[in-house]
Structures are given as structure tokens and as C-alpha cells.
Amino acid sequence: MDRDNIQFIGQSSAFLDAVERASRAAPLNRPVLVVGERGTGKELIAERLHRLSTRWDGPLVTINCAALPETLIEAELFGHEAGAFTGATRAREGRFEEADGGTLFLDELGTLSMGAQERLLRAVEYGEVTRIGSSRPVRVDVRIVGATNEHLPNMVEKGRFRADLLDRLCFEVITLPPLRVREGDVEVLSEYYGRKMAAELGWEGWPGFGEIATRALENHLWPGNVRELRNVVERAVYRWADPAQPVDYIQFDPFDSPWHGGVAAYAPAQVHADNQNNIAEPHHSTDLSQAVDVSDFREAIEKFEKAVLQQALAKCRYNQRQTAKALNLSYDQLRHTLKKHDLLG
């Protein structure tokens, strides 16, 4: 991704409000906290805060506070002198010094140890850091952007986060909405990532998603938010065997397998919001009112049968012999039924 061309994809008011708040806070030389679930785009907001600030031509330094053990996080943030601890064979500047004149993005801020929080407070208050093993402070000009999926006030109450540090960092708090409440954005994002993946695969055009896949995407709760959606959509496109047909098979859990305790049965495109593993392969149900409009019995049965065939064909990549076997039909029986529903194409 081109970090100098940060793209925000979405049209929901909740999402656009968060982006607008980031844009307004960006020019101010104040710390900002970005709060949100995993995969909601906290790093992109941090980049926007930097690129739209007066520090845009300075460094943007990122550190994931959860990725380093507690014994190393302070040395990583504040640097160290040679011989300060075992393995410190030479002096090294920390991330604060690297970010001088720019922005320091502290991801997973809530995982910082109390010792690191105390040193961070001093850096924020006085604009200076002291390398481990040194007694001489170094002046730094750094804007802090912190990100977390924790509720920091609750951590303060439990004694896991310093109240005075939180007071220093929360000039502005930008809370990113989860994808499940961003009305209309699942469709927009799915189309965007689907088109990009189709182009990457060299498809002549983008056929879009079929009814089954669309319904599945819309009803999934997206615990991994945009990051999860991108993986799901790109996986569905690259696995699809016929670029001329709309993509109509979605697998949310790439670890799901018929050898993990039973084969998922084919059913019409009935989607359950509580099925988080594979809602493009729905549960059996006799409640057809959710799948078709049962105002005419024969018409409802016809729609049910056609939906079963479409789902089975999609999963078997339109291999008719495999589809017949999956549905426990003979090849001739399947061909006859496909012809009946005008699915031979």
C-alpha cells in the first residue's frame, strides 16, 4: 500500500465522522488517542493525523507495544548506552529520538508496563528522554498518537494504567466504529477489494458477487472488521473458478474443513447472523419464510430447489459430476434438474 496515498473506503456516517474528527485534530500539536477493535483502521487514522499535520515531512515512527517483551520495551522506546545491559554492545537511540520532529505512533498502548508508562509520562511532560544507562536527558520534539482496543479509564480504575499519563494523552479521543455498525460499508468494501483482487488475477472484468455471497457478507458480524473482510473477499475471488460468473461462495473460516467433524450440508441461501464460522454454508432449516416469499407453495418449492442447486454448483466450482455426487443424485438426474431451472448455461 502506498502510505503517502491513504485511502479510506466507506460511506457510513459513523465512519466518516471519525475520519472528519481526525482531520480536524491533525493540525494541532497535541496527543491523540485512537480507540477501536482490531482491524478497524487505527493505523490508517494515525497516518492521517501525521500526514495532515505540520509535521507531515518529518518521520512517522511506529512501535507495537505488545510485540516486545517488557524487558525490552523501555530500551526500544528510549534507547540505551553501550553496556547498559547484557547484549547492549553499542549505544542505540530509541524510537523517541528517531521520531524527533515527527510523530510517534504507539500501537497497543494499553500493554505498556507501569515502568514504561512512568518514563513515557516524563517524555510527554518535559519533552525529553533519557537512554537506559545514561544520566543525560535528550531533548525531543515528538507528537504522540496512541492506539488501543482497551478501555483505558477502566484500566486506570484497576491500577493498570497511570491516571496522570491518561490525562496527558487524551486531548482528543477518536473512536472508530466496528464494521458491523457501519451501514452500507460492507457492500462498498467488498466491491472494492473484490475488484482489486480480480485485477490482480488478470480477470477481464469484475462479475460482482452473487445473491448467496452477498447475503452472507451482509449478515456476518465481522469480529475482525475490515482486515477480516479483506481476507474473506480476496480469498473468495482467488478461489473462484469462473471469472464470467458472479462470485457466489464465501468461506469465512479458512480453517473450516469437512474433516473437522462433519460435512456441512447444502441448503438454500438462508443466512443466520449467529453463525460466525461459515454462514455461506447455512444450517438446515424448515423455516422457508426467511429464504423465499411463501405466498405460493409450488413457487416456494421451485425457489428452494433452485437455491440448493446454485449453492451446490458454487461449492463444487460448477463441476457437474461432483455436484451430482454431493447432492446424492445421478449425473442424468442432475442434468435434468439443471435444465428444468435453466441452469445449464
Side-chain angles (χ1 to χ4, degrees), residues 10 12 69 75 82 118 130 133 136 139:
S12 67
E118 184 176 355
T130 303
R136 180 177 60 87
R139 297 290 300 177

Coordinates of all heavy atoms in Angstrom, one line a residue, residues 10 12 69 75 82 118 130 133 136 139:
G10 N -15.5 3.9 2.6 CA -16.7 3.8 3.4 C -17.6 5.0 3.2 O -17.1 6.1 2.7
S12 N -20.6 5.3 5.5 CA -21.5 5.4 6.6 C -21.1 6.6 7.4 O -20.0 7.0 7.5 CB -21.3 4.1 7.5 OG -20.1 4.1 8.1
P69 N 8.8 -7.8 24.5 CA 8.7 -8.2 26.0 C 9.0 -7.0 26.8 O 9.6 -6.0 26.4 CB 9.9 -9.3 26.1 CG 10.8 -9.0 25.0 CD 10.0 -8.5 23.9
A75 N 13.9 0.0 26.5 CA 15.1 0.2 25.6 C 14.7 0.6 24.2 O 15.4 1.4 23.5 CB 16.0 -1.0 25.7
A82 N 25.9 1.9 25.4 CA 26.7 0.6 25.4 C 26.9 0.1 26.8 O 27.3 0.9 27.7 CB 28.0 0.9 24.6
E118 N 5.7 5.4 33.3 CA 6.3 6.4 34.0 C 7.3 7.2 33.2 O 7.3 8.5 33.2 CB 7.0 5.9 35.3 CG 7.5 7.0 36.2 CD 8.1 6.4 37.5 OE1 8.0 5.2 37.7 OE2 8.7 7.2 38.3
T130 N 15.7 9.9 28.5 CA 17.0 9.5 29.0 C 17.2 8.1 28.6 O 16.4 7.2 28.9 CB 17.1 9.7 30.5 OG1 16.8 11.0 30.9 CG2 18.5 9.3 31.0
G133 N 21.0 3.6 31.0 CA 22.4 3.6 31.2 C 23.1 4.9 31.1 O 24.3 5.1 31.3
R136 N 22.1 11.6 31.2 CA 22.0 12.9 30.4 C 20.7 12.8 29.6 O 20.6 12.0 28.7 CB 23.2 13.1 29.6 CG 23.1 14.4 28.7 CD 24.4 14.5 27.9 NE 24.6 13.4 27.0 CZ 24.0 13.4 25.8 NH1 23.3 14.4 25.4 NH2 24.3 12.4 25.0
R139 N 16.7 16.1 24.5 CA 15.5 16.9 24.1 C 14.9 16.3 22.8 O 15.7 16.0 21.9 CB 15.8 18.3 23.9 CG 16.3 19.1 25.1 CD 15.2 19.3 26.1 NE 14.1 20.1 25.6 CZ 13.0 20.3 26.3 NH1 12.8 19.8 27.5 NH2 12.0 21.0 25.7

